Amino acid sequence: MRYLQLNQDCVRSILLELEEKLTLMDHVYLHDLKEYNTFKEFGENQSIYAILKLIEVGYINGKPQFASNKLHNLGIASLTWEGHVFLDNIRDNKIWSKTKEATKNFSSISVTVLSKLANEYLMQQTGLR
């Protein structure tokens, strides 16, 4: 069995793509997600893992359906408020690069810490700190 690590670039990519493609009254399902650029760039397993973790942390309103210990379907309705806040903190490419640069010496870092760090850079950039 191959274990997955949460890829922060994949997390950012899927949030950006979901925000772009989700509509107010529509859902996105697993067969739709497989056509996303994120899936093509990071692979199905890594992308699904990122989505499941984003659902778990409350950044995406979605529901996975499992059958016989396998993912049978996955439906996503929207980003949550916290998901939008996180995405807004990491959206800007300069802020994202700066955030990744500051964390490159760590073997792993939580999404929460990434968000706080990106928020600090945004506050500095806007002169609020």
Side-chain angles (χ1 to χ4, degrees):
M1 174 180 216
R2 186 169 172 240
Y3 295 97
L4 294 172
Q5 288 187 334
L6 188 60
N7 182 310
Q8 305 299 353
D9 287 311
C10 182
V11 166
R12 180 175 182 258
S13 179
I14 199 67
L15 286 171
L16 286 167
E17 205 160 5
L18 283 170
E19 182 187 56
E20 176 188 326
K21 294 182 178 177
L22 277 169
T23 62
L24 184 60
M25 302 306 286
D26 210 2
H27 288 72
V28 174
Y29 295 98
L30 186 56
H31 65 275
D32 303 312
L33 291 165
K34 288 180 179 182
E35 299 300 317
Y36 277 29
N37 290 330
T38 301
F39 275 62
K40 293 171 185 164
E41 182 178 348
F42 295 98
E44 186 173 328
N45 287 342
Q46 186 65 64
S47 299
I48 289 173
Y49 186 73
I51 290 168
L52 292 174
K53 292 301 160 188
L54 288 166
I55 291 169
E56 187 178 302
V57 76
Y59 286 179
I60 293 175
N61 284 317
K63 184 169 172 95
Q65 295 174 341
F66 293 92
S68 302
N69 281 339
K70 292 185 181 181
L71 184 66
H72 177 68
N73 201 359
L74 178 60
I76 298 174
S78 65
L79 272 61
T80 64
W81 178 263
E82 288 299 319
H84 279 289
V85 169
F86 176 59
L87 182 55
D88 287 343
N89 284 343
I90 63 170
R91 178 186 313 280
D92 183 83
N93 288 331
K94 289 180 194 171
I95 297 295
W96 181 242
S97 293
K98 208 171 185 182
T99 302
K100 284 181 22 178
E101 179 65 26
T103 61
K104 72 179 182 182
N105 292 326
F106 299 100
S107 59
S108 68
I109 192 148
S110 73
V111 170
T112 306
V113 171
L114 274 178
S115 183
K116 287 179 181 179
L117 185 57
N119 186 51
E120 282 298 315
Y121 287 136
L122 280 170
M123 298 291 271
Q124 291 171 10
Q125 193 89 356
T126 58
L128 296 173
R129 294 232 195 234

